[in-house]
Structure formats: structure tokens, C-alpha cells
Amino acid sequence: METESSMRLDSKTSCGLLISLTVASLMLSSPSWALRVALNSYFVRHYLWKSTLLNHLFHTNFREMDAYRGRSQTTKGIWIAHCVGMEPFTIAMDLEGTDGRERGEDDTTFEKQSALFALAIADIVLINMWCHDIGREQAANKPLLKTVFQVMMRLFSPRKTTLLFVIRDKTKTPLEYLEPILREDIQKIWNVVSKPEAHKDAPLSEFFNVEITALSSYEEKEELFKEQVAELRQRFFNSISPGGLAGDRRGVVPASGFSFSAQQIWKVIKENKDLDLPAHKVMVATVRCEEIANEKFSRLSSDADWLALEESVQSGSVSGFGRKLSSILETYFSEYDSEAIYFDEAVRSAKRKQLESKALELVHPAYLNLLGHLRFKALEDFKSRLEQMLKEGEGFAASAHACTKSCMLEFDKGCADAAIRQANWDASKVREKLRRDIDTHVSSVRNVKLSELVGRYEEKLRQSLSEPVESLFDAAGRDTWASIRKLLTRETENAVSEFSTAISSFELDQPTMDSMLQGLKDYARNLVVKKAKEQAGKVLILMKDRFSTVFSHDNDSMPRVWTGKEDIKTITKDARTASLRLLAVMAAVRLDDKPDKIENILFSSLMEGTVTSPDPLASSTWEEVPPENTLITPVQCKALWQQFKAETEFTVTQAISAQEAYKRSNNWLPPPWAIVAMVILGFNEFMLLLRNPLYLMFLFVAFLISKAMWVHMDVPGQFQHGTLTGLISISTRFLPTVMNLLKRLAEEAQGHQTPESPRQQSSLTFQSFRNQSQPRSIPESSVSTHVSVSDSGIEYSSPNLMHRRNTQTSEAELS
């Protein structure tokens, strides 16, 4: 059918009724007749399928091919029939197949004309498509659609047509996987179509409504095929209603004008020369080259050498990977070239590029896997080399630079070995990833090493500052903070100098280095401040210790013996002054060497009792002292001083009591008036003794005996525990002492001396000396300083004073 007269209409069409819907079925995908032997079964399925689908779908009676009579074209030209039992009134149009051999190899004009005719007059166009053709470039007749789209927009006014793609012989692949591929192919066709200026940016949806469905094989699954066709038929009922299957149906002509309209459309299509497309040999080349390419790709996918190489890459790097893979790929590419050499050059080249793309896509994951192994190995080598160089004492920055350079060089060599000739793959991203990993590791190690250095010098500062600062606070005086500042400056400068030298090998930028040095200085300062806060927290204890030390010891640090000659008031004032000075030192941090009036305020308010208004101690801040440097507020100082005075008052009272007790216990002489009376009244007796030497001798002997008994019985020691106790003790020891002295005198008179006499004599002499040098016995409960004698020496103790001195003496015992 090549003229208008060859078109046939159903009898109902000429009755003058309004055509509601026209449906065209167009077969766009079929193999070339030149491949009929190899694709015989597909021809049978195709010729049977197109008209059979229309008859089952619309209940028409289009002629169907009888497969048992051979393969030949059944539908010639364009046939129209009424769709039975369908509302609204519907006309179906059966077009000649695009793959018939009867029109010859080069006569492709009619198929393009018939396709454009169907798109021009129909509201819905069924495009019969083989499932295996989805995703194929030429087998799906994409050039045909491209040309038809382009010419339609130029020849006819825009109208929305529904393109219903019917995928025949549906495979196991789900429709939801096939539909996106098909829609993408259609969109690509639309994008490359040359459009008029008025519709240059028009989307595909403005001209076409694309619908996709899939049907099973009619021969293999006939029952399932009929069920699916019945479901599809339901979609054509009420298809012209809003949201129905039909398009916008703009430009609809009545039934009486359908014949003339169709003739005019066919005339325009026949006179248009833009439909003269390349011959079928291009399609044949496309199909055959694609088959060859698919066969080569399939063999490549199962190639033993490739599979072995891929498996080796899974476990680690492979030497010579690029050379081996290039050889494998070149083998299959050469085979393709030799088998496709007689087909159209443009098609052959395009399909070879597709084969190369698929092959490279297949092997690319193995290449990336190999690069991953190379990157991992280079990174591990870098870590071990850097650690080794640092152990050998090399500078950090120099070591990092050297290791980075060598490892990156090895990685570049590995990438060059992995490259293949057929592709120019870029390994720069993996290289950048390796460089980032190396930089991250360098940064991590640098941070660890710097942290170790910082910790080491902080510990050094702690050792050099902590105990000396604490010692300076214990001996707090006017120059305490000056000494602390001097110590802090000296130790900080030493540590900063050494630390600066130590981190110079890291090649840090100047701001970072300055920040680290400042951090070390801040640590030293904070260490002193922390120690000051610790000491300020126990300032009351330190004040009491300072008071006890000054009050209970003389200028030679010897314990005081309250003999009655000491000026307790002056001593107390000195001790309180020392304690108050310690409080003034601990009241604030003075590392900035700024003068303040803390000591003057404390002395004038607490020691001198100067009353001013307002009270300078009734405040929570010190004048000229920042709040962050305040350790003890003025009001806290006042409260501490009151508590300090209350807790040290007992010590002063004890000292006064000790003085009084000492005076009473050492008052052996009679009053002065009694001595004068004795001299006056006893003058005659004194002159008598001078005139009679025997009385003097007798008195001298009596003095010696009394002195010996005094020493032997330790009379002062016995009275230390009380008068009554001393008298009882002396009375019990008097007679044994007299007998012992008489015995010794008798032995000496006879010229004998006991072996113990030298020791006893020495003991007597030492005991006499000790008793003469010891203070008189003082009641224990009323003295501030207690002296006790033991075999190990003399112990001195003072209330509220944690101080003990042991003086080792070798004391002989009296037998």
C-alpha cells in the first residue's frame, strides 16, 4: 500500500459517527531479514504476535500469520478495523511490520512513513517491542523514533499522543527494572532531536505520554498471555475521560472528515524527503557487531586467566598486573576486530567502543582493589619507617619528609605497574587518599610526641617548683613573693629554652610554637597559684605553727625555759607579728610584682587595733588586687585572726604559769630582811667559828656529807612530783643512803675500794653536775615546756608545737 487508495476503513467508519479514539499499533523492533536463519524462531514469534495482540486486545479480525506455512509478511500496508465491545467507539489500525523482507534491504522509507502516519492521526500508539531489545541501541529502532519525532514536530501542530510500549516475551527480569531503562532511552532520543525554535525547550511530556506494560510469550504461556491482555483491555475503557489512557485529543476530526484528513496527512508525509534514512545494512551491522561484542565480553568474563588474576588481586597486590590484564583484553579486542571487519565501519567502531567500555568496567574493580592494596602497603611501610627513624633519634619533620617521599615513590611505581594500555585510568584520587592518610598519621604521631614532650617538661617544672614554693610559703616573710617570682622566672626560662630546642625538629609554624611555649609558661604560673591556694587553705594551721615556733624557741632555735626572766608580752607580740605576716603573705597572689597594702591594713587593724571608718577588713576584695588573685578576703582574714588568737591564748597562759611556778620552786633563800637579821644576830656565832678552826672543819665535813646525800637522793628530782611525794621518797631513802656512805667511808679507811667505786664516783660527779645544771622542779600541769630525762636523753616539748629534740647523753646509773 503506497497510495491513499490502498487504505481501507471499516464500514462503521463511513456512517458519519464521531471517532472517539484511534489506536495504532506499530512494530518498531525486529531483527533484519538478512539474519532470518539465525533468528528464525523470533520471526515466527514476531509475525504472530503483532496482529494476534490486536485481535485479542480489541476483538478485531486482522489477518494473522500461520507459522506452519512458513515465514512471510502477513500485514501489507495499513489496515483499519472497529474495536468490538469497547466504549467509547474505537478504531484500531494495523500497520505493516518494519522488518519485512518483501520491500527489500534498502527500502526503509515506507516504514518511516507509516510510523509517522500513525503518530499523526492516532491518540494511542502501541509500540510492540521484544524484551531483549531493551537497552540495545539499533535493535530498538531508536534512529527511527528520532527521525519521526523530529519530522512530526516540524510537519504537524503539537498534540499529545500516548505511546504505549508493549514489551513482548517478558523474561524473568521484573518490569520495574526494565521500565527505567526504556524511559531513559526515550528521553535520550527526545533530548537529541532537533526541535523548532518554538519548541526548543519543550519537554517530552508536552507531546507524548509514555506508558509501559509487559506481556508473556503467546506461544509458551498462552493462558497467562490472555489474562494479561484482558487486564490491558480494561485500560482502554473510558480512556478519553480525564486521567484516562488517551492524550489531550486536540484537533479531533469527525468521522465524515476522517478519510480526507488521513489522505492529506499521508500526502504531506509522502512529499517530505527528510524520512530517507540510512539503509537496513546499518541495522544489520548494528545487530551483528553487537552480537560479536557480547560474545567477546561473555568469554572475557569467564576467561580463566582473568579470573585467576582477579582472585589474586583479592588477596594482595600482584606484580605485572597491568601487563597481564592488557594482554588479556587485547586478545578479545583483536578477535572482535577480525570478526567485525566486513561490517559498516561507523557501527563497528561504535560497538567496539561499547565493548571496550563494558570490558574496562568489568576489570576496573580489580584495578581499584589493587590500588587499595598498594595504598595500604605504602601506608604501613610509612608507619614502620617513621617509627624506626624516630627511635634512632632523627628529627621528626626530617623523618616524616623522608618517609613520605620514599613511600609515595613506591606507590607511584606500583600504579605504573598496574596501568593497562587500553585505558587511561587516573589513580590520583587513591594517591590523594594515601597522602591524606599519611598526613593524618604524621599529625597523630606529632601530637603524641609533642604531648609527651609537654608532659615531660611540665613534670620537670612541677619538681622544680612545687617543693621550693611550698618551702618558701612555710617560711613566709616580706620577701616571700619576690623569691617565688625569681624562682618562677628562672625555672620557667630554663624549661622554655630547653622545650623550644626540643620542638625545633618538628618544624612547627611560629603561631603554634608560640602557643605551646605560652602554654608551658601558663602551666608554671598555674602550678604556683595552685600551690598558693593549697597553702592558703591551711593558713590557720601554718599561723599556729609559726606562733608556736617563735613563742617557744629563742633566737638560737632552742626551746625556751620559762625562768622568770623572759618578757612574755614582747615574745607574744613577736610571735603574733610573725603569724600575721604569714597571713598577709597568703592573702593574695603577687606574681605580677604590683604593690599592695594588704600587710599594712592587717597590721594596723589587727595588731595595732587602729579603728577607722569604714573598716578596711569589712570587704570581700583587697584594694589594688584583682579578684582572681585574691586567696583570702579581708573579712576572712579578720575571722581567721580572731580564731587564731583564741586558739593560741592558752599557750601564753601556760608560759605565764610556768614562770610563776619556776619562781616559787627556786626561791630557796629567805627574804632579804631575814638575811640582814641573821647577819646582825648571828655575828657573834660567826666570829666564834672564825676563832675556832675545829668548828669550821666540822661544818665543812657536815656540808660535804649533806651535799653527798643531796646528790645521792636527788632531792630536787623527788620534789618535782610534789612536796608530799618528795618528803615520802626522801624519808624512805634517807637511812639506806646514810648506811651506804658510812660503808664507803669504812672501806676507804681500810684501803679497799669496790670495783664499782670509779663508776659510782663518776656517776656521782655527773649526777651532781646534772642536778646543778637542771632547772628546779616545776609542776607539770603549769609549765609550757616540759623537760623529761630518760635513758635516751633529754626531751623538750611545748604545747601546740610539733617539735622534738633529742640530745644523746651517756648517763651513769647510781647503784
Side-chain angles (χ1 to χ4, degrees):
M1 186 193 74
E2 296 184 2
T3 66
E4 294 82 4
S5 59
S6 59
M7 297 182 61
R8 303 183 181 183
L9 297 177
D10 187 87
S11 59
K12 293 183 179 180
T13 307
S14 60
C15 294
L17 299 177
L18 179 64
I19 299 177
S20 301
L21 182 66
T22 303
V23 182
S25 175
L26 172 62
M27 176 62 196
L28 291 181
S29 58
S30 63
S32 171
W33 66 271
L35 304 176
R36 59 187 180 278
V37 177
L39 302 174
N40 186 18
S41 60
Y42 297 121
F43 276 110
V44 172
R45 194 175 303 139
H46 159 63
Y47 283 122
L48 191 65
W49 214 85
K50 178 169 62 63
S51 299
T52 301
L53 172 62
L54 292 175
N55 291 336
H56 281 82
L57 184 60
F58 300 110
H59 295 173
T60 56
N61 58 356
F62 291 123
R63 180 183 176 185
E64 300 179 5
M65 186 192 75
D66 188 353
Y68 295 98
R69 293 184 177 181
R71 298 182 299 274
S72 62
Q73 190 177 40
T74 302
T75 303
K76 296 182 180 180
I78 302 175
W79 294 81
I80 298 177
H82 169 232
C83 301
V84 179
M86 183 170 292
E87 293 295 336
F89 186 87
T90 305
I91 288 179
M93 193 161 48
D94 188 10
L95 275 68
E96 177 179 325
T98 62
D99 56 349
R101 63 184 177 85
E102 286 77 1
R103 291 190 179 273
E105 176 184 358
D106 295 328
D107 190 2
T108 60
T109 303
F110 181 78
E111 64 184 57
K112 315 301 183 297
Q113 293 172 340
S114 61
L116 184 57
F117 179 77
L119 288 172
I121 68 173
D123 295 301
I124 302 175
V125 179
L126 276 71
I127 302 177
N128 181 21
M129 213 175 166
W130 187 30
C131 182
H132 293 282
D133 285 341
I134 296 178
R136 300 171 63 186
E137 181 68 24
Q138 297 295 337
N141 266 343
K142 292 180 183 178
L144 173 60
L145 280 179
K146 178 180 178 181
T147 303
V148 170
F149 286 169
Q150 181 176 346
V151 176
M152 182 177 179
M153 283 190 298
R154 185 171 57 85
L155 298 181
F156 305 103
S157 60
R159 57 187 302 272
K160 197 164 187 177
T161 304
T162 298
L163 300 180
L164 177 57
F165 286 84
V166 181
I167 302 174
R168 65 183 179 91
D169 297 351
K170 181 178 177 295
T171 61
K172 294 182 179 180
T173 304
L175 179 61
E176 54 265 32
Y177 292 163
L178 298 174
E179 183 174 350
I181 300 175
L182 185 56
R183 288 184 180 275
E184 183 180 0
D185 291 342
I186 297 171
Q187 186 62 45
K188 289 181 178 178
I189 295 173
W190 181 261
N191 292 338
V192 299
V193 165
S194 177
K195 306 177 185 67
E197 190 65 25
H199 305 292
K200 183 176 182 181
D201 299 323
L204 175 67
S205 58
E206 185 175 337
F207 289 87
F208 300 99
N209 180 28
V210 179
E211 298 287 340
I212 300 173
T213 187
L215 301 177
S216 301
S217 172
Y218 175 78
E219 292 183 341
E220 298 176 359
K221 301 178 181 179
E222 183 176 354
E223 295 300 324
L224 181 60
F225 169 81
K226 292 180 178 180
E227 293 178 4
Q228 294 172 345
V229 170
E231 294 177 358
L232 179 60
R233 177 180 171 83
Q234 297 300 320
R235 299 183 62 183
F236 286 83
F237 285 90
N238 299 319
S239 57
I240 63 174
S241 58
L245 187 62
D248 57 6
R249 304 187 71 246
R250 286 178 293 181
V252 176
V253 297
S256 59
F258 176 76
S259 176
F260 178 77
S261 174
Q263 292 179 14
Q264 293 300 317
I265 290 175
W266 183 254
K267 181 179 179 181
V268 172
I269 293 174
K270 289 286 291 181
E271 293 176 353
N272 182 57
K273 302 303 182 180
D274 293 341
L275 296 179
D276 294 332
L277 300 177
H280 263 64
K281 62 182 179 181
V282 175
M283 297 185 184
V284 173
T286 301
V287 173
R288 183 55 186 146
C289 289
E290 184 170 355
E291 290 178 349
I292 297 173
N294 290 338
E295 187 266 339
K296 300 307 175 187
F297 179 77
S298 177
R299 286 181 55 195
L300 171 63
S301 302
S302 59
D303 186 271
D305 294 338
W306 155 243
L307 295 177
L309 188 61
E310 184 181 29
E311 184 177 359
S312 300
V313 171
Q314 296 294 331
S315 57
S317 59
V318 178
S319 178
F321 174 86
R323 175 178 50 80
K324 296 176 183 178
L325 183 57
S326 297
S327 177
I328 295 173
L329 293 175
E330 188 61 32
T331 299
Y332 291 101
F333 293 161
S334 299
E335 291 179 1
Y336 170 86
D337 292 338
S338 61
E339 295 182 23
I341 190 172
Y342 298 108
F343 292 98
D344 184 79
E345 181 179 0
V347 176
R348 182 177 73 244
S349 300
K351 295 303 176 182
R352 191 185 196 280
K353 291 181 179 179
Q354 293 181 9
L355 173 61
E356 291 177 354
S357 177
K358 292 175 62 176
L360 295 178
E361 184 177 355
L362 174 68
V363 302
H364 191 251
Y367 173 77
L368 293 179
N369 200 359
L370 178 61
L371 292 186
H373 290 305
L374 293 174
R375 182 184 63 83
F376 179 78
K377 181 178 181 300
L379 182 60
E380 293 301 315
D381 290 344
F382 173 82
K383 292 179 180 179
S384 59
R385 292 178 185 177
L386 179 61
E387 183 178 2
Q388 182 63 31
M389 293 185 70
L390 292 178
K391 286 182 178 179
E392 294 175 356
E394 298 290 338
F396 181 85
S399 301
H401 292 330
C403 294
T404 301
K405 183 177 180 180
S406 60
C407 291
M408 294 302 295
L409 182 60
E410 291 182 4
F411 176 79
D412 291 340
K413 290 181 179 178
C415 291
D417 182 70
I420 62 175
R421 297 190 301 272
Q422 292 80 5
N424 187 23
W425 285 330
D426 186 11
S428 59
K429 291 184 178 180
V430 181
R431 192 178 192 277
E432 291 175 2
K433 178 66 167 59
L434 173 61
R435 189 56 185 259
R436 289 195 301 270
D437 292 342
I438 289 177
D439 292 342
T440 301
H441 182 71
V442 170
S443 178
S444 175
V445 175
R446 181 192 297 113
N447 292 337
V448 171
K449 296 297 182 183
L450 289 176
S451 298
E452 292 177 354
L453 276 177
V454 170
R456 187 186 310 162
Y457 281 94
E458 286 181 351
E459 176 63 20
K460 184 177 180 180
L461 280 172
R462 191 189 65 80
Q463 293 179 357
S464 61
L465 289 176
S466 183
E467 293 184 359
V469 169
E470 184 175 354
S471 177
L472 289 172
F473 280 132
D474 289 340
R478 286 191 175 91
D479 60 344
T480 297
W481 281 108
S483 301
I484 291 176
R485 288 193 296 270
K486 184 177 180 181
L487 173 66
L488 175 63
T489 302
R490 183 180 68 251
E491 296 299 333
T492 303
E493 288 179 352
N494 292 339
V496 167
S497 177
E498 295 177 6
F499 182 73
S500 178
T501 303
I503 64 175
S504 60
S505 62
F506 289 85
E507 296 183 1
L508 301 174
D509 56 275
Q510 193 61 39
T512 302
M513 182 176 293
D514 294 342
S515 176
M516 297 187 70
L517 295 178
Q518 185 61 42
L520 196 61
K521 295 177 183 178
D522 293 341
Y523 175 81
R525 181 186 178 93
N526 293 335
L527 187 66
V528 174
V529 173
K530 180 180 179 182
K531 183 60 64 175
K533 291 180 179 180
E534 291 178 359
Q535 296 297 103
K538 54 183 180 180
V539 65
L540 182 60
I541 298 175
L542 296 176
M543 290 171 63
K544 291 192 295 184
D545 289 345
R546 175 66 61 87
F547 179 84
S548 298
T549 301
V550 176
F551 186 79
S552 302
H553 294 78
D554 58 18
N555 295 332
D556 297 328
S557 299
M558 296 298 294
R560 294 184 188 276
V561 178
W562 304 106
T563 62
K565 300 178 181 179
E566 295 80 14
D567 187 355
I568 293 182
K569 183 177 180 180
T570 303
I571 295 173
T572 302
K573 184 176 180 180
D574 293 341
R576 288 179 176 176
T577 300
S579 300
L580 188 59
R581 184 168 290 114
L582 187 146
L583 178 61
V585 170
M586 301 304 303
V589 176
R590 300 175 177 87
L591 292 178
D592 297 328
D593 195 16
K594 293 181 179 179
D596 57 67
K597 302 177 181 179
I598 295 178
E599 184 173 345
N600 295 335
I601 293 173
L602 290 177
F603 272 87
S604 62
S605 300
L606 300 179
M607 285 294 295
E608 299 174 1
T610 303
V611 179
T612 59
S613 181
D615 185 1
L617 297 182
S619 173
S620 59
T621 58
W622 294 104
E623 186 180 354
E624 300 177 353
V625 177
E628 62 271 12
N629 289 342
T630 301
L631 299 177
I632 307 174
T633 63
V635 67
Q636 290 174 342
C637 287
K638 187 174 183 179
L640 285 171
W641 182 253
Q642 292 173 355
Q643 184 178 357
F644 164 76
K645 289 181 66 176
E647 294 184 6
T648 57
E649 192 69 30
F650 180 70
T651 303
V652 179
T653 303
Q654 277 189 322
I656 295 173
S657 300
Q659 273 192 343
E660 294 176 355
Y662 186 88
K663 291 177 180 179
R664 288 195 302 270
S665 63
N666 288 276
N667 193 11
W668 297 93
L669 295 176
W673 61 269
I675 296 175
V676 174
M678 289 174 61
V679 172
I680 295 173
L681 296 176
F683 180 77
N684 295 332
E685 288 77 6
F686 179 70
M687 294 303 296
L688 179 63
L689 290 176
L690 291 178
R691 295 189 185 99
N692 192 348
L694 292 177
Y695 288 143
L696 291 175
M697 185 178 297
F698 176 75
L699 291 174
F700 179 73
V701 172
F703 171 77
L704 292 178
I705 294 173
S706 300
K707 185 66 175 178
M709 292 183 66
W710 181 279
V711 173
H712 190 71
M713 289 188 296
D714 189 17
V715 173
Q718 301 304 322
F719 280 96
Q720 286 181 353
H721 304 289
T723 305
L724 181 59
T725 304
L727 292 175
I728 295 173
S729 178
I730 290 173
S731 63
T732 57
R733 299 178 65 179
F734 179 76
L735 186 58
T737 302
V738 173
M739 297 301 295
N740 191 17
L741 290 175
L742 293 175
K743 182 180 178 180
R744 290 183 182 178
L745 290 174
E747 290 176 353
E748 291 178 359
Q750 295 176 2
H752 299 287
Q753 186 176 3
T754 61
E756 296 179 356
S757 58
R759 182 180 63 82
Q760 292 174 348
Q761 183 66 25
S762 174
S763 177
L764 286 172
T765 304
F766 175 77
Q767 186 69 19
S768 176
F769 171 76
R770 187 186 69 175
N771 291 334
Q772 291 176 1
S773 61
Q774 269 189 340
R776 297 299 181 181
S777 59
I778 303 172
E780 182 180 0
S781 60
S782 62
V783 294
S784 173
T785 304
H786 176 67
V787 182
S788 61
V789 181
S790 64
D791 293 339
S792 60
I794 303 175
E795 296 181 357
Y796 301 89
S797 63
S798 178
N800 300 320
L801 173 63
M802 294 180 288
H803 181 77
R804 179 172 179 172
R805 297 175 180 269
N806 291 330
T807 306
Q808 298 294 332
T809 61
S810 57
E811 179 182 355
E813 298 181 353
L814 293 176
S815 60

